[in-house]
Amino acid sequence: MSVPAPPSPDAVAALPPPRPRAPMSLVVLATLAVGFTLWAAQEVILPVLLAMFFALVGNPILRLLQRIWIPRFLGAVLLLGVGLSGAAALGVQLVGPAMEWAEEAPQQLRKVARQVQNLTKPVQQANQAAENFARVAGGEGNRRVQVVRTQLDDPYKVLTLAPRLAASVLAVVLLTLFFMIYGQSLQKHAIALFPSRQQQRFTTDILRSIEREVSRYVLTITVINTLVGLVFSGVLLLLGISLQEALLWGTVAALLNFAPYVGPLIGVALMLLMGFVEFSDPFQALLPAAAYLALHTVEGQVVTPIVLGRRMAISPLILILALMVFGWLWGMVGLLLAVPLLVCIKLVLARLDGMQGWARLLE
């Protein structure tokens, strides 16, 4: 059996030196610094991420428009105009029932609370009797004093919040337009900074494939969630709810569907509340929540796996952790962006040498 010859000194000298490993303490500190930066700079980061999210939704449509000889600039303007017009028309339809619910919610909640209190009255009486017995046994001197604090609403806070919200919405709209128009040229100039042609070609292939797959994923999920909202609105119409309120709750169902697990739980609770407010019969009051739960089960277990397949599968444990982290960092917007960001991270790791194991860890 022949013994392999040792490498020559020239070959050993040509090998790149091993990369030094950073100490674990430095990695932990860097992670904490990045997390604090993401939280502290959310007023700047969130508009950029939302704009990139909307641009990814529109990129497949822009490519389709370019195939029929429509320039990218004109296609981006048309697409953004159609999107804003649709959102404005939907907002006009939803603002009425939303304001009515905001005004009637306290009264309706008290009504539902009285119904629940009547159902749990025997349990409350038993608890009160146990408290009285414990108070007599322990003496009246052990009674705790409760301090009630009142909070006054600051009208200036509302006045200062409205311009900031309008500025954030305008920033998202403008950034979306610029990402649609100039995103490809910005990517091309950034790739040109790499020193070798091989690195430029490799990075271009990776970014194009990632952009294409993420765009398809985001657009597919958006279409599926929109269909879920429309079907749920139709179910509410069949149950006797008015068109505007059905559209309101269908929009809520579509938005909550972007946040797996957490969104459906919130949706079931909201539909239970809505059912008890709209219907006096307990059986009819449970129908909206039951219909929403059945529709979400069919979508999550049948439709989405068939359409997307295993390529975009994410581990439920990793998904819950991501929802917790991004929801803690950025609130409701973080819950909506958690899944697209996690998919982007998985696709990037799957195409980098030596990172495929981390990508499989997310499955």
Side-chain angles (χ1 to χ4, degrees):
M1 182 176 64
S2 60
V3 179
S8 62
D10 295 335
V12 174
L15 293 176
R19 296 178 59 185
R21 295 181 61 87
M24 184 58 64
S25 59
L26 186 60
V27 174
V28 173
L29 290 176
T31 304
L32 293 177
V34 170
F36 177 77
T37 304
L38 292 176
W39 173 79
Q42 57 182 308
E43 294 185 359
V44 178
I45 295 175
L46 288 184
V48 176
L49 289 179
L50 285 174
M52 293 177 65
F53 176 81
F54 294 136
L56 285 175
V57 174
N59 276 338
I61 303 176
L62 290 178
R63 286 194 292 266
L64 181 61
L65 293 177
Q66 285 181 311
R67 293 179 182 176
I68 57 176
W69 307 103
I70 295 179
R72 190 174 183 87
F73 174 81
L74 182 59
V77 173
L78 290 176
L79 183 60
L80 191 60
V82 171
L84 290 177
S85 301
L90 184 62
V92 170
Q93 295 293 325
L94 300 183
V95 66
M99 293 297 294
E100 291 179 2
W101 265 90
E103 294 176 357
E104 297 179 0
Q107 180 180 358
Q108 299 295 341
L109 286 175
R110 286 193 293 268
K111 176 183 175 182
V112 174
R114 284 195 298 268
Q115 295 177 355
V116 175
Q117 187 177 7
N118 292 332
L119 293 175
T120 60
K121 193 173 183 179
V123 179
Q124 293 178 356
Q125 291 176 352
N127 290 334
Q128 186 66 34
E131 291 178 1
N132 293 335
F133 179 78
R135 189 180 298 114
V136 171
E140 294 293 331
N142 294 332
R143 183 178 300 174
R144 298 177 61 183
V145 178
Q146 295 182 354
V147 179
V148 179
R149 293 186 177 94
T150 59
Q151 181 178 0
L152 298 177
D153 295 331
D154 188 3
Y156 296 102
K157 185 177 180 181
V158 179
L159 294 177
T160 56
L161 184 61
R164 293 173 59 184
L165 180 60
S168 298
V169 173
L170 181 61
V172 171
V173 173
L174 292 178
L175 286 173
T176 302
L177 180 63
F178 291 151
F179 273 125
M180 287 182 178
I181 299 173
Y182 303 110
Q184 288 185 345
S185 61
L186 179 63
Q187 175 181 316
K188 187 183 301 183
H189 293 317
I191 293 175
L193 298 176
F194 287 94
S196 64
R197 300 277 299 180
Q198 183 179 1
Q199 290 179 344
Q200 293 178 3
R201 191 179 303 109
F202 178 72
T203 307
T204 301
D205 294 339
I206 289 179
L207 290 179
R208 284 181 179 176
S209 60
I210 290 175
E211 187 268 341
R212 187 180 301 109
E213 292 187 11
V214 173
S215 297
R216 290 176 181 174
Y217 169 79
V218 173
L219 180 61
T220 303
I221 289 296
T222 303
V223 171
I224 290 175
N225 293 342
T226 303
L227 292 177
V228 168
L230 291 175
V231 173
F232 185 66
S233 299
V235 172
L236 294 181
L237 284 175
L238 294 177
L239 293 178
I241 296 177
S242 63
L243 176 61
Q244 290 185 334
E245 290 191 5
L247 289 176
L248 172 64
W249 295 112
T251 304
V252 171
L255 292 177
L256 290 175
N257 215 38
F258 280 99
Y261 303 110
V262 178
L265 288 177
I266 299 174
V268 169
L270 289 176
M271 300 316 160
L272 279 174
L273 177 62
M274 182 265 291
F276 280 104
V277 170
E278 293 288 341
F279 303 102
S280 57
D281 186 13
F283 176 74
Q284 290 182 341
L286 295 176
L287 289 180
Y292 173 78
L293 186 59
L295 184 61
H296 171 72
T297 302
V298 172
E299 177 270 327
Q301 302 298 324
V302 179
V303 178
T304 300
I306 291 177
V307 175
L308 294 178
R310 292 289 305 172
R311 184 177 53 179
M312 298 296 181
I314 302 293
S315 169
L317 178 59
I318 300 296
L319 191 55
I320 289 293
L321 294 176
L323 290 171
M324 292 176 60
V325 172
F326 287 109
W328 171 70
L329 282 176
W330 299 327
M332 191 62 191
V333 179
L335 292 177
L336 297 178
L337 293 176
V339 178
L341 290 176
L342 199 59
V343 170
C344 292
I345 293 173
K346 179 185 175 184
L347 291 175
V348 171
L349 293 177
R351 282 163 174 78
L352 292 179
D353 292 335
M355 293 294 182
Q356 290 80 6
W358 291 98
R360 288 191 295 269
L361 182 64
L362 299 180
E363 295 180 353

